Amino acid sequence: MTGAVDLSVLKERADAARNRPATPQAPRPPAGNDGAGTVAAVPAVVEVTEATFEAEVIARSDQVLVLVDLWATWCEPCKQLSPLLERLAEEASGQWILATIDIDANPRIAQAFGVQSVPTVVAIAQGQPVAAFQGVQPAAQITAWVDEILAKVGDRLTGLPAADGAEAPDPVDPRMAEAESKLDEGDFDGALAAYQALAQAEPGNVEAASAARNIEFVIRAQAADPSVVDTAAPDDIEGQFAAADVLLLNQRPDDAFDRLIALVRATSGDDRSAVRTRLLSLFELFDPSEPFVVSARRKLASALY
């Protein structure tokens, strides 16, 4: 696949997926067990904020079960439960980790979890909440609760990276692997449908949404008659859209963007809004720091205002 949109990364991921074992890697044994190797590099207890939530909780939960301790400084029961959870996390030796979150300092996280009272503890695996409890619980009950969760989801987690810097391989989402396989085989329609379904099911899946946008553009651009670049009338909006697609597919982003910016200047009302929307959607196909995107955005702003 060639053209303005570089999908080589997706192809490389598909190639890598084929070379990985068919079954996911088992979690690393706790430190101290036979064959355990070095101690995990990730701390047993991590203080998490809204800025670090994605990396420390969502991404980390692909490797290991993450217990999220939602607490507040004014909460007396929290002062009993949080130290207990921290001790249990240290004793777990990497089987699970604890992410502590002050709900007053991070209200959007509390809102996302629908927290009604604290303390609330939520278990996260593979980016999804799998169990929760509220209030203070005895250590034995918490341990049994965690063991039950690990029995159900533990074999799907890749394990933490070792302290010596050796990284566990990224887990393969079978749905992404299927979509990438279709793309690698040249089944653009099938790949598009797979990525769109995944993006709809997981609104936060940026990779799937980006892949769907890219493939949708390539399919649309390849369907256009290349001669439209020369034959489209200046006031033919759909024709100019197709011409811009062809130019972009042929590695001429400056010409594509300039054509639509000229159309913005020549239109008004709903037509101008439609052209602006199409232009912004084409910007999304590229890194926003690309010089030609930065330049085109400035020209668009000048044309609009």
Side-chain angles (χ1 to χ4, degrees):
M1 182 183 302
T2 59
V5 181
D6 182 6
L7 295 178
S8 61
V9 172
L10 292 178
K11 184 177 184 303
E12 289 171 4
R13 282 178 52 85
D15 292 340
R18 286 197 303 273
N19 294 330
R20 290 182 182 129
T23 56
Q25 178 179 339
R28 295 177 184 271
N33 288 358
D34 290 341
T38 58
V39 177
V42 179
V45 181
V46 181
E47 184 176 348
V48 173
T49 66
E50 290 172 356
T52 62
F53 182 82
E54 176 69 26
E56 297 290 357
V57 176
I58 300 300
R60 187 74 67 202
S61 69
D62 283 333
Q63 300 172 329
V64 65
L65 181 68
V66 179
L67 299 194
V68 177
D69 176 20
L70 297 148
W71 63 280
T73 55
W74 45 263
C75 168
E76 290 301 322
C78 295
K79 296 175 183 178
Q80 302 176 46
L81 181 63
S82 293
L84 173 60
L85 290 171
E86 292 175 9
R87 176 173 64 82
L88 293 176
E90 295 288 352
E91 294 173 353
S93 300
Q95 287 186 311
W96 58 273
I97 63 173
L98 179 68
T100 66
I101 300 176
D102 180 347
I103 64 167
D104 290 332
N106 303 278
R108 287 188 295 179
I109 297 179
Q111 183 179 13
F113 279 114
V115 174
Q116 299 296 320
S117 64
V118 288
T120 292
V121 177
V122 183
I124 308 290
Q126 294 185 304
Q128 299 294 326
V130 294
F133 71 80
Q134 293 180 335
V136 179
Q137 304 289 340
Q141 188 168 330
I142 295 172
T143 300
W145 179 71
V146 172
D147 288 344
E148 183 178 354
I149 297 170
L150 288 173
K152 295 177 180 178
V153 304
D155 60 348
R156 294 184 238 156
L157 307 176
T158 64
L160 292 171
D164 60 6
E167 293 286 340
D170 292 335
V172 179
D173 185 329
R175 299 166 299 174
M176 289 291 288
E178 179 183 2
E180 289 158 4
S181 177
K182 291 180 183 296
L183 178 64
D184 195 41
E185 293 167 0
D187 181 5
F188 292 172
D189 291 330
L192 176 60
Y195 281 122
Q196 286 177 331
L198 186 52
Q200 184 175 4
E202 298 179 4
N205 193 324
V206 177
E207 185 177 2
S210 176
R213 276 197 307 271
N214 291 353
I215 298 171
E216 188 173 27
F217 163 76
V218 172
I219 292 174
R220 186 181 73 216
Q222 287 183 336
D225 184 347
S227 67
V228 72
V229 173
D230 300 316
T231 61
D235 60 349
D236 179 3
I237 293 178
E238 292 301 323
Q240 293 297 334
F241 283 174
D245 284 349
V246 171
L247 289 168
L248 210 54
L249 193 64
N250 287 308
Q251 305 292 340
R252 296 170 60 188
D254 289 320
D255 292 338
F257 294 156
D258 285 347
R259 181 174 287 240
L260 293 187
I261 290 167
L263 195 58
V264 168
R265 291 193 174 96
T267 53
S268 61
D270 291 342
D271 286 345
R272 172 179 278 200
S273 179
V275 179
R276 174 181 174 275
T277 299
R278 172 58 70 91
L279 193 52
L280 292 177
S281 74
L282 295 182
F283 290 162
E284 290 181 352
L285 299 174
F286 300 93
D287 186 322
S289 65
E290 287 280 4
F292 54 80
V293 175
V294 174
S295 174
R297 284 189 178 278
R298 290 173 179 163
K299 291 178 183 177
L300 175 60
S302 177
L304 288 172
Y305 307 109

